[in-house]
């Protein structure tokens, strides 16, 4: 019995070591694409895979639909996004002005959505089209079976700077951990970074156990890069816009700097995709102020790209949604990203999609 227990412990240790040792790198990064004829303009701010080639996206301006389903046709040989198809809206929001920014599927029957204006993470039932005993179509899972107890967590509004709440969600289905991070520094951690206040934002990377939903989050310190511009802007956003959990438990972190001057020409959006490994990092209490010797998680740059508005280029894309796509025939992993076009602002901005192929 002791010998069997030892083997089990060794196997678990080997699995954890394998999950922590993967050295991910970019195989190819495909050019961004938009699909004006098949995807209606929106404010798409988050995306998650719902199974197969169907993905759910949330809009930070929707006051009616909870999410929107799309079908993405991705080449299993190259990872290129070939076509996208709009499948319609799903679910209903429980209030107006939620500013839903991120979505992730956490079970067969539920999703979690991050609301920036409510400073909360909330679990919802996934809409289904099950057939009832009388042959009628049931609109929601709640009508098909007993409704499960749904999870919700939030932080006080006064802890955040305006419009810098929760933008990100990721779910590690193996360790059953839900991840989020505040977009910019909390008030207790200093002012939000800007061209007028150039500094490295200090963020709180947090994980929640799906096996103990009553437990407090485990928190880590994450430090962003400095701004790349000191020019004044009409609109400026510097923060982490999305997370994505990799199969080995590591996380992709999307740092985004969006700069829009009054004249619009010269606007840019700088995206940097980092990888972090929380399993080897030291947690830091969420309620403790940042001390001089506080531990920050290590990060490694995976890739970066920049989109602009100029006389010769109008490919500006503010990427706010990211999730895992399919695995290719050779085992490489596709990462899917979607940008927020502000509902196709001024007929210039587009709902850009981008795929990046990574491997370990």
């Amino acid at each position: 019995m002791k010998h069997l227990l030892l083997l089990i412990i060794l196997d678990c240790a080997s699995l954890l070591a394998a999950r922590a040792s993967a050295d991910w790198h970019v195989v190819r990064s495909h050019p961004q694409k938009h699909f004006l004829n098949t995807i209606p303009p929106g404010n798409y701010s988050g995306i998650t895979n719902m199974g197969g080639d169907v993905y759910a996206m949330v809009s930070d301006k929707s006051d009616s639909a909870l999410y929107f389903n799309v079908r993405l046709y991705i080449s299993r040989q190259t990872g290129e996004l070939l076509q996208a198809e709009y499948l319609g809206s799903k679910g209903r929001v429980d209030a107006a002005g939620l500013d839903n920014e991120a979505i992730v599927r956490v079970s067969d029957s539920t999703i979690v959505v991050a609301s920036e204006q409510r400073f909360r993470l909330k679990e919802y039932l996934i809409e289904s089209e099950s057939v009832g005993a009388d042959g009628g179509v049931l609109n929601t899972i709640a009508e098909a079976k007993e409704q499960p107890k749904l999870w919700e967590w939030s932080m006080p509004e006064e802890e955040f700077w305006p419009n810098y709440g929760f933008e990100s969600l990721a779910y590690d289905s193996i360790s059953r951990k839900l991840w989020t991070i505040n977009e910019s520094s909390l008030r207790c951690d200093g002012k939000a970074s800007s061209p007028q206040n150039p500094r490295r934002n200090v963020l709180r990377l947090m994980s929640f156990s799906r096996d103990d939903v009553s437990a407090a989050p485990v928190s880590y310190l994450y430090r962003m890069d400095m701004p790349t511009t000191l020019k004044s802007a009409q609109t400026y956003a510097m923060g982490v816009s999305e997370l994505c959990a990799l199969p080995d438990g590591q996380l992709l972190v999307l740092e985004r700097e969006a700069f829009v001057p009054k004249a619009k020409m010269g606007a840019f959006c700088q995206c940097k995709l980092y990888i972090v490994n929380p399993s080897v990092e030291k947690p830091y209490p969420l309620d403790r102020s940042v001390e001089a010797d506080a531990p920050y998680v290590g990060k490694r740059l995976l890739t970066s790209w920049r989109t602009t508005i100029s006389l010769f280029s109008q490919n500006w894309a503010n990427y706010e949604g990211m999730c895992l796509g399919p695995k290719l025939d050779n085992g490489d992993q596709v990462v899917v990203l979607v940008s927020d076009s502000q509902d196709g602002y001024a007929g210039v901005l587009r709902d850009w999609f981008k795929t990046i192929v990574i491997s370990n």
Side-chain angles (χ1 to χ4, degrees):
M1 183 66 180
K2 290 182 178 179
H3 180 65
L4 178 60
L5 181 60
L6 178 61
L7 288 177
I8 293 174
I9 293 174
L10 289 175
D11 285 344
C12 290
S14 298
L15 176 60
L16 290 174
R19 277 171 58 83
S21 63
D23 185 17
W24 293 91
H25 62 276
V26 173
V27 176
R28 67 184 67 89
S29 181
H30 290 284
Q32 60 187 27
K33 293 184 176 183
H34 62 78
F35 303 91
L36 286 176
N37 295 328
T38 55
I39 301 295
N43 300 270
Y44 306 123
S45 303
I47 187 169
T48 190
N49 183 259
M50 299 295 281
D53 55 7
V54 175
Y55 295 76
M57 301 192 300
V58 288
S59 164
D60 60 14
K61 299 294 192 299
S62 176
D63 288 336
S64 56
L66 180 60
Y67 61 96
F68 306 84
N69 278 346
V70 295
R71 178 171 282 113
L72 302 182
Y73 298 90
I74 299 174
S75 168
R76 294 305 196 269
Q77 287 72 47
T78 66
E80 180 183 4
L81 176 56
L82 304 175
Q83 187 56 261
E85 176 187 4
Y86 181 72
L87 300 179
S89 62
K90 293 287 184 178
R92 295 173 297 276
V93 296
D94 54 5
L98 292 177
D99 191 5
N100 288 331
E101 294 281 358
I103 180 173
V104 68
R105 184 171 185 170
V106 296
S107 74
D108 290 340
S109 60
T110 61
I111 54 175
V112 173
V113 174
S115 167
E116 188 164 44
Q117 287 303 308
R118 296 296 177 87
F119 308 94
R120 78 177 183 196
L121 314 179
K122 182 178 174 63
E123 188 174 14
Y124 295 87
L125 291 168
I126 298 172
E127 285 228 343
S128 69
E129 291 185 350
S130 303
V131 178
D134 60 355
V137 174
L138 305 177
N139 293 322
T140 65
I141 286 178
E143 295 174 315
K145 59 182 180 181
E146 184 179 352
Q147 180 173 330
K149 185 176 181 180
L150 300 179
W151 174 82
E152 184 175 334
W153 182 87
S154 64
M155 289 178 64
E157 178 179 354
E158 57 268 21
E159 296 191 24
F160 298 84
W161 294 104
N163 202 34
Y164 273 137
F166 294 119
E167 286 260 348
S168 309
L169 284 175
Y171 183 58
D172 180 351
S173 60
I174 297 178
S175 65
R176 290 178 52 79
K177 289 181 180 178
L178 177 72
W179 291 91
T180 192
I181 191 170
N182 46 304
E183 183 182 2
S184 184
S185 298
L186 297 174
R187 289 182 182 271
C188 65
D189 295 331
K191 291 185 177 180
S193 182
S194 70
Q196 291 71 44
N197 178 47
R199 62 186 296 269
R200 299 181 69 182
N201 281 328
V202 174
L203 311 182
R204 306 298 182 116
L205 177 65
M206 294 171 275
S207 70
F208 302 81
S209 171
R210 294 291 296 172
D211 293 319
D212 185 3
V213 294
S214 63
V218 177
S219 174
Y220 303 82
L221 291 180
Y222 181 92
R223 186 157 51 190
M224 291 187 63
D225 291 352
M226 288 284 288
T228 65
T229 182
L230 298 180
K231 297 178 181 179
S232 61
Q234 182 182 51
T235 302
Y236 184 84
M238 177 79 173
V240 168
S241 61
E242 190 61 291
L243 301 173
C244 180
L246 293 173
D248 61 358
Q250 298 189 78
L251 295 174
L252 295 179
V253 182
L254 181 60
E255 294 191 16
R256 178 263 283 120
E257 180 184 16
F259 169 85
V260 183
K262 187 175 182 179
K264 304 300 187 289
M265 288 294 178
F268 70 82
C269 189
Q270 176 71 48
C271 293
K272 298 178 181 179
L273 191 60
Y274 283 97
I275 187 167
V276 302
N277 187 358
S279 68
V280 300
E281 303 295 348
K282 184 178 180 180
Y284 194 84
L286 182 59
D287 58 358
R288 183 188 299 177
S289 59
V290 179
E291 300 166 357
D293 59 347
Y296 294 91
V297 300
K299 63 180 187 179
R300 176 172 62 87
L301 184 64
L302 205 60
T303 187
S304 65
W305 65 97
R306 187 182 182 102
T307 60
T308 60
I309 296 178
S310 68
L311 288 175
F312 307 104
S313 174
Q314 294 184 357
N315 65 355
W316 193 89
N318 177 22
Y319 285 97
E320 293 193 344
M322 176 173 61
C323 70
L324 292 184
K327 281 195 172 183
L328 302 187
D329 292 343
N330 66 356
D332 290 347
Q333 177 67 60
V334 177
V335 178
V336 178
L337 299 107
V338 64
S339 69
D340 182 352
S341 73
Q342 299 295 317
D343 205 25
Y345 178 77
V348 174
L349 299 189
R350 300 286 182 257
D351 298 287
W352 294 101
F353 290 82
K354 183 177 179 65
T355 56
I356 299 173
V357 180
I358 60 176
S359 178
N360 61 353

